[in-house]
Amino acid sequence: MTVQTFTPATNPFAQDPDYYLGRADAYDHSHDRTVDQMVALLAMAIDHATLAYAAGYSDRVIELRMEQDVVAAAESELAQTWLARKQGRETSTLHTRNRSRKGHH
């Protein structure tokens, strides 16, 4: 399977195929492993693989961690909105006023 990956031209591994192999392996592992399991695999890659491979694997693991953080925040906001709706707070004046303030920060 071919996975298209992008890396900045300033990356010291931009021309190294091992970098992209590491990213591709991390992509494949993300389908059946947790990010914490992938961090453990990364630790092994640092010791046993090339530096370029470990850097590619690491970059993808970091991206996955950031994606999880974004999803967790969105799910939390959705849960709070649902809870407010269920409790009738969504239509209250106090709730509406506080919610509109939040958007201005």
Side-chain angles (χ1 to χ4, degrees), residues 65-81 99 102:
R65 179 68 76 187
M66 289 189 297
E67 288 170 13
Q68 276 186 340
D69 292 347
V70 168
V71 168
E75 287 176 345
S76 176
E77 179 67 24
L78 183 62
Q80 289 299 319
T81 301
R99 206 148 160 80
K102 183 178 174 185

Side-chain angles (χ1 to χ4, degrees), residues 3 7 11-13 17 20 22 31 35 37 45-46 50 52 55 63 66 85 90-91 101:
V3 176
T7 186
N11 185 325
F13 305 111
Y20 298 99
H31 296 296
V35 174
Q37 290 170 331
I46 290 170
T50 65
E63 290 169 3
M66 289 189 297
R85 206 172 279 151
E90 189 174 64
T91 56
R101 270 193 220 146

Side-chain angles (χ1 to χ4, degrees), residues 45-101:
I46 290 170
D47 291 337
H48 301 291
T50 65
L51 186 57
Y53 179 92
Y57 198 96
S58 173
D59 284 352
R60 183 62 190 138
V61 170
I62 290 168
E63 290 169 3
L64 288 168
R65 179 68 76 187
M66 289 189 297
E67 288 170 13
Q68 276 186 340
D69 292 347
V70 168
V71 168
E75 287 176 345
S76 176
E77 179 67 24
L78 183 62
Q80 289 299 319
T81 301
W82 175 84
L83 184 60
R85 206 172 279 151
K86 184 176 180 184
Q87 294 176 344
R89 290 184 289 127
E90 189 174 64
T91 56
S92 75
T93 308
L94 180 64
H95 180 78
T96 305
R97 184 176 60 225
N98 289 339
R99 206 148 160 80
S100 64
R101 270 193 220 146

